[in-house]
PDB file of all heavy atoms in Angstrom:
ATOM      1  N   PHE I 211     -10.392 -28.796   9.775  1.00 98.00           N
ATOM      2  CA  PHE I 211      -9.010 -28.127   9.648  1.00 98.00           C
ATOM      3  C   PHE I 211      -9.237 -26.590   9.770  1.00 98.00           C
ATOM      4  O   PHE I 211      -8.543 -25.914  10.512  1.00 98.00           O
ATOM      5  CB  PHE I 211      -8.546 -28.555   8.197  1.00 98.00           C
ATOM      6  CG  PHE I 211      -7.303 -27.728   7.697  1.00 98.00           C
ATOM      7  CD1 PHE I 211      -6.152 -27.516   8.509  1.00 98.00           C
ATOM      8  CD2 PHE I 211      -7.301 -27.198   6.421  1.00 98.00           C
ATOM      9  CE1 PHE I 211      -5.060 -26.796   8.026  1.00 98.00           C
ATOM     10  CE2 PHE I 211      -6.156 -26.522   5.929  1.00 98.00           C
ATOM     11  CZ  PHE I 211      -5.070 -26.342   6.737  1.00 98.00           C
ATOM     12  N   LEU I 212     -10.194 -25.967   9.077  1.00 98.00           N
ATOM     13  CA  LEU I 212     -10.308 -24.594   9.114  1.00 98.00           C
ATOM     14  C   LEU I 212     -10.780 -24.149  10.492  1.00 98.00           C
ATOM     15  O   LEU I 212     -10.321 -23.030  11.005  1.00 98.00           O
ATOM     16  CB  LEU I 212     -11.385 -24.057   7.998  1.00 98.00           C
ATOM     17  CG  LEU I 212     -11.109 -24.310   6.559  1.00 98.00           C
ATOM     18  CD1 LEU I 212     -12.200 -23.938   5.743  1.00 98.00           C
ATOM     19  CD2 LEU I 212      -9.808 -23.558   6.211  1.00 98.00           C
ATOM     20  N   GLY I 213     -11.564 -24.953  11.158  1.00 98.00           N
ATOM     21  CA  GLY I 213     -12.034 -24.590  12.529  1.00 98.00           C
ATOM     22  C   GLY I 213     -10.851 -24.526  13.419  1.00 98.00           C
ATOM     23  O   GLY I 213     -10.732 -23.563  14.227  1.00 98.00           O
ATOM     24  N   GLU I 214      -9.815 -25.434  13.353  1.00 98.00           N
ATOM     25  CA  GLU I 214      -8.649 -25.356  14.163  1.00 98.00           C
ATOM     26  C   GLU I 214      -7.835 -24.162  13.865  1.00 98.00           C
ATOM     27  O   GLU I 214      -7.341 -23.504  14.761  1.00 98.00           O
ATOM     28  CB  GLU I 214      -7.799 -26.667  14.040  1.00 98.00           C
ATOM     29  CG  GLU I 214      -6.703 -26.648  15.036  1.00 98.00           C
ATOM     30  CD  GLU I 214      -5.976 -27.935  15.229  1.00 98.00           C
ATOM     31  OE1 GLU I 214      -6.361 -29.005  14.758  1.00 98.00           O
ATOM     32  OE2 GLU I 214      -4.864 -27.931  15.871  1.00 98.00           O
ATOM     33  N   LEU I 215      -7.770 -23.836  12.579  1.00 98.00           N
ATOM     34  CA  LEU I 215      -6.925 -22.658  12.171  1.00 98.00           C
ATOM     35  C   LEU I 215      -7.584 -21.366  12.756  1.00 98.00           C
ATOM     36  O   LEU I 215      -6.946 -20.450  13.263  1.00 98.00           O
ATOM     37  CB  LEU I 215      -6.865 -22.472  10.653  1.00 98.00           C
ATOM     38  CG  LEU I 215      -6.100 -23.550   9.902  1.00 98.00           C
ATOM     39  CD1 LEU I 215      -6.116 -23.223   8.401  1.00 98.00           C
ATOM     40  CD2 LEU I 215      -4.667 -23.686  10.489  1.00 98.00           C
ATOM     41  N   ALA I 216      -9.023 -21.339  12.723  1.00 98.00           N
ATOM     42  CA  ALA I 216      -9.682 -20.069  13.106  1.00 98.00           C
ATOM     43  C   ALA I 216      -9.499 -19.951  14.735  1.00 98.00           C
ATOM     44  O   ALA I 216      -9.548 -18.917  15.256  1.00 98.00           O
ATOM     45  CB  ALA I 216     -11.103 -20.160  12.799  1.00 98.00           C
ATOM     46  N   ASP I 217      -9.259 -21.130  15.376  1.00 97.00           N
ATOM     47  CA  ASP I 217      -9.097 -21.042  16.902  1.00 97.00           C
ATOM     48  C   ASP I 217      -7.721 -20.870  17.305  1.00 97.00           C
ATOM     49  O   ASP I 217      -7.435 -20.813  18.535  1.00 97.00           O
ATOM     50  CB  ASP I 217      -9.697 -22.420  17.539  1.00 97.00           C
ATOM     51  CG  ASP I 217     -11.167 -22.462  17.505  1.00 97.00           C
ATOM     52  OD1 ASP I 217     -11.758 -21.470  17.311  1.00 97.00           O
ATOM     53  OD2 ASP I 217     -11.612 -23.633  17.582  1.00 97.00           O
ATOM     54  N   THR I 218      -6.805 -20.868  16.449  1.00 97.00           N
ATOM     55  CA  THR I 218      -5.375 -20.789  16.762  1.00 97.00           C
ATOM     56  C   THR I 218      -4.994 -19.383  17.107  1.00 97.00           C
ATOM     57  O   THR I 218      -5.383 -18.380  16.480  1.00 97.00           O
ATOM     58  CB  THR I 218      -4.478 -21.301  15.500  1.00 97.00           C
ATOM     59  OG1 THR I 218      -4.776 -22.664  15.349  1.00 97.00           O
ATOM     60  CG2 THR I 218      -2.996 -21.145  15.804  1.00 97.00           C
ATOM     61  N   THR I 219      -4.186 -19.257  18.155  1.00 97.00           N
ATOM     62  CA  THR I 219      -3.581 -17.848  18.418  1.00 97.00           C
ATOM     63  C   THR I 219      -2.245 -17.950  17.832  1.00 97.00           C
ATOM     64  O   THR I 219      -1.319 -18.802  18.228  1.00 97.00           O
ATOM     65  CB  THR I 219      -3.350 -17.607  19.938  1.00 97.00           C
ATOM     66  OG1 THR I 219      -4.783 -17.723  20.541  1.00 97.00           O
ATOM     67  CG2 THR I 219      -2.767 -16.405  20.330  1.00 97.00           C
TER      68      THR I 219
END
Side-chain angles (χ1 to χ4, degrees):
F211 169 48
L212 295 176
E214 184 168 349
L215 296 182
D217 287 341
T218 298
T219 300

